[in-house]
Amino acid sequence: MDRRILTLLAGLLASLVISAALWWYFETLAVFLFLPFVPFLFRRGDRAREPEGRTCPRCGFRTTDPGYEYCPRDGEPLE
């Protein structure tokens, strides 16, 4: 199972437990604890694509800035 889903489920379970405890002690419904999880429930699984980077073959320097043609560390052309 995806780590994001496990985090969502753990947070949702914790908010339910806290809400139940608040209801039991203060007889008040704490709906606000559920609201932070609503975006997770309806978010699609598409993650934003990271821009492609360029890497120095010699030292491994990596950048996504198109202004770099050469590695600032050793002057090697970026691939």
Side-chain angles (χ1 to χ4, degrees), residues 2-78:
D2 189 19
R3 292 180 69 183
R4 193 180 78 181
I5 301 289
L6 290 175
T7 303
L8 166 70
L9 293 175
L12 192 56
L13 180 64
S15 71
L16 286 171
V17 168
I18 292 170
S19 294
L22 289 174
W23 175 261
W24 188 60
Y25 284 122
F26 301 113
E27 294 183 4
T28 257
L29 184 61
V31 178
F32 65 91
L33 292 174
F34 298 106
L35 294 179
F37 296 103
V38 171
F40 286 110
L41 294 174
F42 297 107
R43 183 187 298 178
R44 293 190 327 200
D46 301 335
R47 293 185 179 171
R49 268 186 34 172
E50 293 181 14
E52 292 196 21
R54 300 174 76 191
T55 306
C56 175
R58 183 177 294 169
C59 71
F61 171 79
R62 184 169 177 84
T63 183
T64 56
D65 186 0
Y68 283 102
E69 293 291 324
Y70 297 93
C71 178
R73 295 178 185 165
D74 55 25
E76 189 76 20
L78 298 177

